[in-house]
Amino acid sequence: MIYKERQEPSQLVLLRTLKSRMALSKLDQQTYYNLSKGYEGERLFDALLQDLKCDCLVLNDLLLKVNNQTFQVDTLLILNNQIHLFEIKNYKGDFYFESDRFFQKDGTEIFNPLTQLQRTESLLRQWLTHYQLPTSIQPSVIFINPEFTLYKAPLDKPFILPTQLNQLIKNLNYEQFTLNQRDKELAGKLVAEHMPEHPLQQLPAYEYPNLKKGVKCFICESFSISSTKYGGIVTCTSCGYKEKIEIAILRTLKEFKILFPLENITTSKIHEWCHMDTSKKTIQRILEKHFSKIGSKRWSYYS
Ligand SMILES: [Zn+2]
């Protein structure tokens, strides 16, 4: 049973929203790529866990703190008085493991995921001791990408390779235990102590005047949207996708809210942000339908 859902990292949402409206630096492009690959891998593992039939609790994407150190858990499973701790890696291609170090096939060393797993395991154990919830931990690194190969894979390390994933689910499903009150208390405490945002995330600097304005096509993300005078339909001139103007405007407004969460929503602002051949009246009608109006006349805004 999913006890805590996974949320798309806010840094990923923000970078995706920004990347079509301004030029991202090389570093931000790399961060965006890494975050989206990571999230994609985690979603693949989530889909696999849907085949679990055993009595267990699945907690995704936890951010916890103990002894002034923050740690992140990709997936945690409470089953049979144990915690299964999963670090998920979406690596693609050929890698090898040698002298406790992790390399790409061309010899480039990358950060050993076991080091990360050991840190998370150690901090989780400290966390459990701190809250007097001692529980044994079974840690593993999951290599989720079917195009991942690990040469010289050691037998004594907790690596789960793509060809072993189905067996992992089968093994977990063999467990015959049922959850008890203590398991539920543990899950409740983990969620209660979860911190919603990573405090250290680096965000690119951006300002409203420098961002590209306009409505993006839902399918191809092109800004070439044309609206017809009547009928309330917009058409993408790149791919031909048609949708209701209301849906297109609301999606574009959502992007504004992601980028400028503290700004008040006003008719003029959204009219300018959407940069469409549409009247302020249309924007106002949509805002009035979906938001509540605060204030009156010129100074009114929507929330
Ligand atoms: Zn399109």
Side-chain angles (χ1 to χ4, degrees):
M1 174 195 141
I2 306 286
Y3 192 84
K4 181 185 174 296
E5 295 280 354
R6 187 180 307 285
Q7 278 211 331
E8 192 170 10
S10 59
Q11 193 181 8
L12 173 59
V13 174
L14 188 118
L15 287 172
R16 191 178 48 238
T17 309
L18 271 184
K19 78 177 174 56
S20 53
R21 296 188 183 268
M22 67 180 261
L24 292 184
S25 69
K26 278 266 176 294
L27 186 67
D28 288 330
Q29 285 177 35
Q30 191 60 48
T31 306
Y32 172 74
Y33 178 78
N34 293 344
L35 284 171
S36 62
K37 287 309 281 180
Y39 184 64
E40 190 185 292
E42 288 162 8
R43 299 293 295 159
L44 283 172
F45 190 59
D46 295 348
L48 203 70
L49 291 191
Q50 284 180 355
D51 292 335
L52 281 182
K53 291 173 184 70
C54 53
D55 194 15
C56 65
L57 297 171
V58 180
L59 287 83
N60 292 308
D61 187 22
L62 289 167
L63 188 67
L64 301 164
K65 196 173 186 176
V66 67
N67 300 331
N68 225 13
Q69 293 204 71
T70 304
F71 63 105
Q72 199 198 323
V73 174
D74 289 341
T75 303
L76 183 152
L77 202 99
I78 300 173
L79 171 70
N80 187 12
N81 304 315
Q82 274 190 339
I83 285 178
H84 293 258
L85 172 68
F86 298 114
E87 173 69 39
I88 302 157
K89 292 292 171 214
N90 193 10
Y91 298 161
K92 185 177 168 183
D94 296 337
F95 294 77
Y96 66 92
F97 191 82
E98 202 172 74
S99 314
D100 275 331
R101 290 158 70 194
F102 214 89
F103 299 89
Q104 286 177 340
K105 202 184 176 185
D106 67 4
T108 311
E109 183 172 357
I110 60 162
F111 189 67
N112 182 356
L114 272 183
T115 311
Q116 196 180 345
L117 182 72
Q118 281 156 2
R119 178 185 183 273
T120 309
E121 184 195 353
S122 164
L123 289 170
L124 179 61
R125 196 174 298 111
Q126 292 172 49
W127 188 94
L128 292 165
T129 307
H130 178 79
Y131 289 104
Q132 297 177 329
L133 292 160
T135 314
S136 75
I137 304 173
Q138 292 266 357
S140 330
V141 178
I142 300 283
F143 293 103
I144 193 75
N145 197 309
E147 292 179 45
F148 170 82
T149 301
L150 186 63
Y151 292 98
K152 303 188 192 174
L155 286 170
D156 61 340
K157 302 288 184 220
F159 288 144
I160 297 181
L161 303 172
T163 48
Q164 299 172 311
L165 287 166
N166 285 340
Q167 193 57 46
L168 168 75
I169 300 298
K170 278 184 195 163
N171 290 347
L172 291 170
N173 277 336
Y174 277 132
E175 302 270 0
Q176 294 293 327
F177 285 79
T178 48
L179 290 166
N180 56 37
Q181 194 52 35
R182 196 187 164 281
D183 294 327
K184 289 169 191 167
E185 276 169 25
L186 171 60
K189 189 66 186 165
L190 283 162
V191 170
E193 293 300 319
H194 164 69
M195 302 183 291
E197 282 295 335
H198 204 292
L200 293 174
Q201 62 177 245
Q202 295 278 318
L203 297 176
Y206 58 92
E207 286 175 41
Y208 180 82
N210 306 331
L211 297 182
K212 188 171 169 65
K213 317 292 184 295
V215 172
K216 279 187 288 188
C217 168
F218 177 63
I219 300 296
C220 73
E221 299 209 327
S222 148
F223 280 96
S224 316
I225 300 288
S226 75
S227 56
T228 46
K229 195 104 185 116
Y230 304 100
I233 298 292
V234 292
T235 307
C236 171
T237 54
S238 290
C239 76
Y241 182 71
K242 286 184 197 310
E243 70 180 336
K244 275 188 176 174
I245 190 165
E246 184 173 332
I247 293 170
I249 301 259
L250 285 173
R251 185 176 57 252
T252 310
L253 186 150
K254 197 176 156 196
E255 289 190 43
F256 182 85
K257 283 180 69 113
I258 289 167
L259 297 172
F260 304 101
L262 301 176
E263 284 275 330
N264 288 335
I265 302 290
T266 65
T267 305
S268 299
K269 224 177 269 176
I270 297 308
H271 185 255
E272 187 185 79
W273 176 245
C274 291
H275 193 65
M276 261 180 116
D277 184 19
T278 184
S279 68
K280 281 192 182 178
K281 270 247 161 325
T282 307
I283 302 282
Q284 193 176 350
R285 188 179 47 77
I286 294 168
L287 289 178
E288 274 169 5
K289 185 172 165 192
H290 293 272
F291 298 87
S292 35
K293 194 173 181 179
I294 295 166
S296 61
K297 296 188 183 159
R298 263 197 82 178
W299 308 111
S300 61
Y301 65 95
Y302 298 85
S303 68

